[in-house]
């Protein structure tokens, strides 16, 4: 399945320099059995009605529970959660 995290940072937040650290953080999840791929994609258009980053994870459905409890996920929420204005989570079978 594909697990998507689509996030918009708070207004005024300089998020582009964080993309490398966010990528490194999510690449740690590749150590979890059942997580096969991770892509962190920054938005290429600067408009107020756009989200800023999309994180795409390819995983077995059973890996989602392990991911939710892993240190990288906890760190994502702890270090970046307050910087986010909003986020959307979406899962699909392909």
């Amino acid at each position: 399945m594909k697990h998507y995290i689509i996030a918009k940072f708070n207004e005024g937040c300089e998020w582009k320099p964080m993309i490398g650290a966010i990528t490194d953080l999510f690449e740690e999840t590749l150590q979890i059995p059942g997580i096969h791929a991770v892509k962190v994609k920054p938005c290429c258009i600067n408009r107020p009605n756009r989200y800023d980053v999309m994180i795409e994870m390819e995983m077995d459905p059973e890996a989602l529970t392990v991911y939710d409890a892993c240190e990288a996920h906890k760190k994502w929420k702890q270090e970046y959660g307050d910087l986010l204005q909003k986020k959307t989570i979406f899962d699909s079978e392909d």
Side-chain angles (χ1 to χ4, degrees):
M1 76 174 214
K2 297 276 180 94
H3 177 73
Y4 298 92
I5 304 162
I6 306 168
K8 182 167 186 66
F9 287 92
N10 292 325
E11 190 173 328
C13 179
E14 293 293 326
W15 59 270
K16 287 184 181 180
M18 297 180 208
I19 293 297
I22 292 169
T23 300
D24 291 344
L25 179 63
F26 277 89
E27 285 181 350
E28 290 177 23
T29 66
L30 293 170
Q31 297 175 17
I32 298 171
I35 296 183
H36 308 291
V38 172
K39 295 178 188 172
V40 177
K41 299 178 181 183
C43 185
C44 65
I45 300 293
N46 184 16
R47 290 188 180 173
N49 66 340
R50 299 293 196 267
Y51 280 69
D52 298 315
V53 65
M54 180 175 75
I55 301 156
E56 176 186 321
M57 302 175 75
E58 185 176 327
M59 67 175 74
D60 299 334
E62 308 80 44
L64 185 58
T65 302
V66 179
Y67 162 72
D68 283 341
C70 81
E71 287 303 312
H73 185 241
K74 291 176 187 175
K75 190 174 181 180
W76 161 251
K77 291 173 78 173
Q78 182 179 35
E79 292 190 14
Y80 298 95
D82 288 344
L83 301 175
L84 300 179
Q85 183 182 101
K86 53 188 167 179
K87 69 179 178 178
T88 297
I89 308 299
F90 181 80
D91 298 302
S92 68
E93 291 183 353
D94 60 352

